[in-house]
Amino acid sequence: MSERAELEGRAALITGAAQGIGLAIAVELGRAGARVAICDLAANADQALEGLPPGSAYHHCDVTDAAAVERTVASVVERFGGLHLLVNNAGIAIDGLLLRFKAEQWERVLGVNLTGAFNCCKAAARHLLRARDQGRVVNISSVVGEAGNAGQAAYAASKAGLIGLTRTLALELAGRGVTVNAVAPGFIATQMTEEHVQGERRQRLLGSIPLGRMGAPEEVAAAVRFLCSPAAAYITGQVLRVNGGLYL
């Protein structure tokens, strides 16, 4: 099977894909032959589409807005004639110790990271079921969602919630051959990581990773591509860790 044929003809929607891990995933699925649509809150659509295959689509969409998500999914289905692959990557991190953390910060992180994924899964589900055994959902969780991390209660809870959502939807959608899995990256060299991991903290972190380095967005994208591929048709409800050995 050629590289282009692997996902040829399949329509993919990737959230939070204007940069970082999401953009790397969009590029990788495009290379595998998928028709790619991304959604994000980036202001410049042309910039967001740089590096993506010709014919890719950009949608300005806030995943916390269920009605906007419904419109985005409907637009993707109309443009591509269906929807086969959904990657829930949109996410934010607001750090802070519990005693100082504000309720609105908690609600914002859970709203984007967990409720946003729920909104996308709900809007896409009937289309994925029509795709039957070509239907795939991949939720981007985090090592923090499994291991926890001081100062990241909201982020850890949202990413742990994604794993619970993944396993439940895997059971609900399996009857039509649709698979639902999660990828749990460790510390990946992205703008978000650079903002939250600096100085001595960065050096301590690198010392705690058995492979001795941060991962690259392309390494996460390769894991997502595999889970979207025909080779992963018998894998569902699983968490694929891409963390350099940080959490085993």
Side-chain angles (χ1 to χ4, degrees):
M1 181 179 292
S2 70
E3 182 182 48
R4 286 293 300 174
E6 186 180 9
L7 297 176
E8 192 74 44
R10 303 190 190 187
L13 173 61
I14 305 100
T15 70
Q19 62 182 351
I21 291 173
L23 178 57
I25 292 169
V27 170
E28 186 69 14
L29 296 187
R31 284 177 181 155
R35 294 169 293 172
V36 173
I38 65 174
C39 75
D40 206 296
L41 292 177
N44 189 327
D46 291 336
Q47 184 178 5
L49 289 169
E50 285 182 7
L52 297 183
S56 297
Y58 168 77
H59 298 270
H60 187 273
C61 178
D62 181 350
V63 295
T64 68
D65 183 340
V69 170
E70 286 277 2
R71 290 192 296 270
T72 295
V73 169
S75 180
V76 172
V77 170
E78 181 178 7
R79 181 186 182 103
F80 294 141
L83 180 62
H84 304 82
L85 316 173
L86 171 66
V87 182
N88 287 305
N89 171 75
I92 62 169
I94 302 175
D95 294 349
L97 295 174
L98 178 66
L99 292 176
R100 299 175 182 173
F101 211 68
K102 298 178 181 179
E104 55 266 30
Q105 292 175 311
W106 171 271
E107 291 166 2
R108 177 62 178 158
V109 174
L110 270 290
V112 174
N113 297 4
L114 185 55
T115 303
F118 165 81
N119 288 339
C120 292
C121 288
K122 190 171 189 298
R126 64 184 182 276
H127 304 292
L128 296 170
L129 289 170
R130 290 191 188 108
R132 302 188 71 87
D133 60 359
Q134 292 186 342
R136 302 281 190 272
V137 178
V138 181
N139 295 319
I140 306 302
S141 182
S142 169
V143 63
V144 171
E146 295 192 288
N149 194 32
Q152 287 194 309
Y155 187 74
S158 69
K159 293 300 187 176
L162 272 179
I163 293 173
L165 179 65
T166 296
R167 290 174 173 155
T168 299
L169 293 185
L171 295 173
E172 291 187 8
L173 303 183
R176 294 284 187 89
V178 178
T179 69
V180 186
N181 292 288
V183 171
F187 288 88
I188 307 300
T190 65
Q191 182 178 341
M192 179 185 289
T193 303
E194 291 297 327
E195 291 173 353
H196 290 268
V197 184
Q198 300 177 351
E200 291 184 8
R201 184 183 177 194
R202 180 184 179 90
Q203 294 307 311
R204 289 196 302 271
L205 173 64
L206 291 174
S208 70
I209 300 172
L211 287 182
R213 64 173 178 86
M214 290 190 179
E218 293 75 15
E219 292 174 303
V220 179
V224 174
R225 173 176 171 168
F226 166 67
L227 290 174
C228 288
S229 74
Y234 201 57
I235 299 172
T236 196
Q238 303 304 307
V239 180
L240 179 53
R241 296 166 179 159
V242 185
N243 62 30
L246 181 61
Y247 180 80
L248 302 176

